[in-house]
Amino acid sequence: MAANSLTPPPPDSRLRATSFLQSLQDQICAALEVLDGGAQFRQDSWERPEGGGGRSRVLREGRIFEQAGVNFSEVWGEKLPPSILNEWPAAEGHAFMATGTSMVLHPRNPYVPTVHLNYRYFEAGPVWWFGGGADLTPYYPFAADAHHFHACLAEACSLHHSDYYPVFKLWCDEYFYLKHRQENRGVGGIFFDYQNGLGELYHGPCPQGAAAQYSHQVGEVGDRDWESLFALIQSCGRAFLPSYLPIVERRHTLDYGDRERQFQLYRRGRYVEFNLVYDRGTIFGLQTNGRTESILMSLPPLVRWEYDYHPAPGTPEMELYETFLRPQDWLNWPD
Amino acid sequence: MAANSLTPPPPDSRLRATSFLQSLQDQICAALEVLDGGAQFRQDSWERPEGGGGRSRVLREGRIFEQAGVNFSEVWGEKLPPSILNEWPAAEGHAFMATGTSMVLHPRNPYVPTVHLNYRYFEAGPVWWFGGGADLTPYYPFAADAHHFHACLAEACSLHHSDYYPVFKLWCDEYFYLKHRQENRGVGGIFFDYQNGLGELYHGPCPQGAAAQYSHQVGEVGDRDWESLFALIQSCGRAFLPSYLPIVERRHTLDYGDRERQFQLYRRGRYVEFNLVYDRGTIFGLQTNGRTESILMSLPPLVRWEYDYHPAPGTPEMELYETFLRPQDWLNWPD
């Protein structure tokens, strides 16, 4: 076996990945319904003509969530796009499967952050990888929330390798960046892709980026086999509820007025801009005849654009721009 | 001279194109202010570090227009993107200039359609072309409005060549199409690019499209010189006010309620999706460090997304989907 060849997945790899990602959707939806206490999820099951399908769940006009979308999908097919085959020639001639759970929550109260989660697994013959992450997008600047969110994700990662959190945190800052605004989407979290045990942690699109500079070999090939990486995404996925629910609990009863609501609607425009202009999953889904309504469930229910808006100096809105929309070391943020 | 080489532009080509496009912005803004009778345009002049600049004009919270944006820009530079050099090798080694006026109007009353206009001129050494068009996006189905808009544009085109309107109408239907929704953006109008007198009218991205199938040689090379094409875009540009103002006049006083307002906000989401996912001008501008606020002036001031919305059978909203969001022969629509 060549030094850089993949360790094989176990025979039941697809079933186990699918089963975990479905149960993650179930757990999250159940907890969000209890938390919301107002509305319930509606489920649409759908099939993809080329193979596979999914379960889209949407909760609308809840007490806490203006809209919550949690998707599970499992698709398979025969033809891989050339971009994947060029990079992973061993996938040639194999059918592929891709499964994932993704979620975007748009709370009503502007003091409660929007949050996104996505974990996924891909397999084509001997080629496989895990990807995903979670990131937080506050409208108002609470350092304690950013710290808590990062601390939970860092703890989940640290169960598996001490380098995971630092690299995935930088990778997240790199990915959720709106170049045309020179802003990050929010306070980030973790993001990773192509985790399959080959030595390098970072396998991203940005060779000059922060994550690439930090990244390095993590042990010998084979140290990070399928089981250890499956355990990693399980830890990360299960860390979501404890990372986010306490933030909702302490913010959702704060009073707010029209100013905060208008700022929230304005900032939601950045979510739309990111998802439609930069997000690879969204663009790939729209281009490959994915289920449009499920893909665009991430878009906020109500959004505002305002020409040439700038926050006023000394306001919380300005603090958001100056501190929270730039990469920070939230894990070690002083209280 | 090779049979398919360009006829040269006159020595004052840049000045004349710029001057016309500026005056088009002036005329449109002046007429819209009178029509609105409530708000006025604010102008921001800006410079581009790499060369050139523009005048962005926005009218907000008017009596008729919730937002009206009219941009003029004139940019120049030394480095052409490889995509242009590959197609037009004669531009190699020449500085380029690109100038244009673009406009998007978002009316308040849902019975008044949104409208977009853009006319532009590009020159790099011996290489030059005109492009542009105008298209109408109604929220409620009034065939008379679609017919009137098309009739004005067809008349403007027919002053120059009988084939212009039929080809540019199909090209417009082709361009303003949301593949992921399987919908046209609205009732279209005209769209064209790369008009420089080379024989073929259609020079688009869609070799199997309707416009390509219709398109054919228009006379001999040289029949359509710089002067004749400059005259064409002047006619088209000047046709805008008579094509749109009568529609506003007859719709803006119609009563509407929450149902119509909500549908308008929902349909505005398609405008956002088109501009951020498909519109070449928007994507090119964002990627090349254009002035973000001017580029995104096209986005509506308030927008709504709703998971899995479908219009009810027998409603005006359904009639919009079934008839007005599909290509139709609006010029010959029966009264």
Side-chain angles (χ1 to χ4, degrees):
Chain A
M1 185 186 279
N4 65 347
S5 68
L6 287 161
T7 58
D12 56 355
S13 57
R14 298 166 186 219
L15 188 64
R16 287 168 65 200
T18 298
S19 170
F20 165 69
L21 290 165
Q22 272 183 329
S23 75
L24 182 64
Q25 184 195 35
D26 289 337
Q27 284 169 31
I28 289 174
C29 289
L32 293 179
E33 272 188 2
V34 170
L35 175 68
D36 190 81
Q40 296 195 312
F41 280 95
R42 153 189 164 182
Q43 171 167 310
D44 288 321
S45 295
W46 49 273
E47 291 188 7
R48 182 171 166 273
E50 301 86 352
R55 319 187 291 207
S56 296
R57 293 184 186 158
V58 184
L59 178 155
R60 290 178 54 203
E61 297 178 19
R63 192 176 64 98
I64 290 178
F65 297 107
E66 207 168 317
Q67 181 171 296
V70 191
N71 271 312
F72 163 80
S73 67
E74 181 189 15
V75 305
W76 52 82
E78 298 299 321
K79 279 186 72 173
L80 278 166
S83 57
I84 289 186
L85 289 174
N86 284 341
E87 193 139 8
W88 309 95
E92 181 78 54
H94 293 280
F96 73 90
M97 72 89 75
T99 181
T101 285
S102 65
M103 176 204 78
V104 174
L105 307 183
H106 291 291
R108 191 178 292 286
N109 189 314
Y111 292 120
V112 182
T114 283
V115 68
H116 161 248
L117 164 150
N118 169 246
Y119 291 101
R120 53 187 178 267
Y121 176 65
F122 174 88
E123 193 179 307
V127 173
W128 58 272
W129 65 73
F130 291 97
D135 70 292
L136 193 74
T137 306
Y139 300 94
Y140 280 89
F142 296 105
D145 295 353
H147 169 76
H148 172 79
F149 189 75
H150 276 269
C152 289
L153 294 173
E155 189 187 356
C157 289
S158 73
L159 298 174
H160 303 276
H161 199 294
S162 60
D163 287 343
Y164 282 152
Y165 171 76
V167 174
F168 297 166
K169 189 271 184 204
L170 291 172
W171 199 341
C172 188
D173 288 338
E174 221 169 79
Y175 183 77
F176 292 103
Y177 178 69
L178 290 90
K179 183 169 172 284
H180 67 284
R181 299 288 192 180
Q182 298 181 275
E183 286 170 16
N184 279 74
R185 180 159 90 170
V187 298
I190 58 171
F191 181 88
F192 53 89
D193 211 351
Y194 309 111
Q195 297 298 306
N196 53 21
L198 292 184
E200 287 181 15
L201 271 188
Y202 178 81
H203 190 108
C206 191
Q208 306 308 321
Q213 288 172 38
Y214 188 96
S215 194
H216 48 266
Q217 300 285 320
V218 184
E220 296 298 309
V221 171
D223 285 0
R224 302 198 302 138
D225 61 2
W226 193 92
E227 295 294 347
S228 78
L229 288 162
F230 182 47
L232 169 68
I233 72 148
Q234 290 179 80
S235 295
C236 291
R238 287 180 185 135
F240 168 68
L241 289 171
S243 76
Y244 184 66
L245 266 48
I247 298 173
V248 179
E249 297 284 10
R250 65 193 181 214
R251 305 294 169 209
H252 83 95
T253 54
L254 295 181
D255 282 339
Y256 65 92
D258 189 56
R259 167 184 169 156
E260 291 79 17
R261 174 65 171 170
Q262 294 303 320
F263 185 63
Q264 177 198 47
L265 298 186
Y266 175 77
R267 291 294 316 166
R268 282 179 176 174
R270 299 294 204 274
Y271 226 80
V272 176
E273 292 175 22
F274 183 84
N275 284 5
L276 296 184
V277 176
Y278 298 103
D279 188 63
R280 292 201 302 268
T282 302
I283 295 164
F284 179 81
L286 294 180
Q287 285 173 348
T288 55
N289 294 317
R291 185 174 182 260
T292 294
E293 290 297 335
S294 300
I295 297 164
L296 297 185
M297 254 166 57
S298 63
L299 300 183
L302 194 65
V303 186
R304 204 169 67 80
W305 272 274
E306 179 179 331
Y307 173 73
D308 211 25
Y309 166 83
H310 297 283
T315 59
E317 291 82 1
M318 181 63 106
E319 191 188 346
L320 185 92
Y321 276 71
E322 288 186 333
T323 305
F324 288 70
L325 303 181
R326 297 176 184 174
Q328 306 290 356
D329 183 6
W330 292 114
L331 183 60
N332 300 304
W333 202 254
D335 282 336
Chain B
M1 183 185 281
N4 66 346
S5 68
L6 287 161
T7 58
D12 57 355
S13 57
R14 298 168 185 218
L15 187 65
R16 287 169 66 199
T18 298
S19 169
F20 165 69
L21 291 165
Q22 274 183 328
S23 75
L24 183 63
Q25 184 196 34
D26 289 337
Q27 284 170 32
I28 289 174
C29 290
L32 293 179
E33 272 188 2
V34 170
L35 175 68
D36 191 80
Q40 297 195 310
F41 280 95
R42 152 189 165 184
Q43 172 167 310
D44 288 321
S45 295
W46 49 273
E47 291 189 8
R48 182 171 166 272
E50 301 88 349
R55 322 186 291 206
S56 296
R57 294 184 185 159
V58 184
L59 178 155
R60 290 179 54 203
E61 297 178 19
R63 191 175 62 99
I64 290 178
F65 297 107
E66 208 168 317
Q67 181 172 296
V70 192
N71 271 313
F72 163 80
S73 68
E74 182 189 14
V75 305
W76 53 83
E78 298 298 320
K79 280 185 71 172
L80 279 167
S83 56
I84 289 185
L85 288 174
N86 285 343
E87 193 138 11
W88 308 95
E92 181 79 54
H94 293 280
F96 72 89
M97 73 88 75
T99 181
T101 285
S102 65
M103 176 204 79
V104 174
L105 308 183
H106 290 292
R108 192 178 292 285
N109 188 314
Y111 292 118
V112 182
T114 283
V115 68
H116 162 249
L117 164 149
N118 169 246
Y119 291 102
R120 54 188 178 267
Y121 176 65
F122 174 88
E123 195 178 304
V127 172
W128 58 272
W129 63 73
F130 291 97
D135 70 293
L136 192 75
T137 306
Y139 301 93
Y140 280 88
F142 295 106
D145 295 353
H147 169 76
H148 172 79
F149 189 76
H150 276 269
C152 290
L153 294 173
E155 190 187 355
C157 289
S158 73
L159 298 173
H160 303 276
H161 198 296
S162 60
D163 287 343
Y164 282 151
Y165 171 75
V167 174
F168 297 166
K169 189 272 183 202
L170 290 172
W171 199 340
C172 187
D173 288 337
E174 221 170 79
Y175 183 79
F176 292 103
Y177 178 69
L178 290 89
K179 182 169 172 286
H180 67 284
R181 299 288 192 179
Q182 299 182 274
E183 286 171 15
N184 278 74
R185 178 159 92 169
V187 299
I190 57 171
F191 181 88
F192 53 89
D193 210 351
Y194 309 112
Q195 296 298 305
N196 54 20
L198 292 184
E200 286 179 17
L201 271 188
Y202 177 81
H203 189 106
C206 191
Q208 307 308 321
Q213 286 172 39
Y214 187 97
S215 196
H216 49 264
Q217 301 284 320
V218 184
E220 296 299 309
V221 171
D223 286 1
R224 300 198 302 139
D225 61 2
W226 193 94
E227 295 295 346
S228 78
L229 287 162
F230 183 46
L232 169 69
I233 71 148
Q234 290 180 79
S235 294
C236 291
R238 289 182 183 134
F240 167 69
L241 289 171
S243 76
Y244 183 66
L245 266 50
I247 298 173
V248 178
E249 297 283 8
R250 65 194 180 211
R251 304 295 170 209
H252 83 96
T253 54
L254 296 181
D255 283 339
Y256 66 92
D258 189 56
R259 165 185 170 156
E260 291 78 18
R261 174 65 171 170
Q262 294 303 320
F263 185 63
Q264 177 198 48
L265 298 186
Y266 175 77
R267 291 294 316 166
R268 282 179 176 175
R270 299 295 205 273
Y271 226 80
V272 175
E273 291 175 23
F274 183 84
N275 285 4
L276 296 184
V277 176
Y278 298 102
D279 189 62
R280 292 201 302 268
T282 302
I283 295 165
F284 179 81
L286 295 180
Q287 286 172 346
T288 55
N289 294 318
R291 184 176 183 260
T292 294
E293 290 296 337
S294 299
I295 297 165
L296 298 186
M297 254 167 57
S298 63
L299 300 182
L302 195 65
V303 186
R304 206 169 65 81
W305 272 273
E306 180 180 331
Y307 173 73
D308 212 25
Y309 166 83
H310 298 283
T315 59
E317 291 82 3
M318 181 63 107
E319 191 187 346
L320 186 91
Y321 276 71
E322 288 186 332
T323 305
F324 288 70
L325 303 181
R326 297 176 184 174
Q328 306 290 356
D329 183 5
W330 292 114
L331 183 60
N332 300 303
W333 202 254
D335 283 336

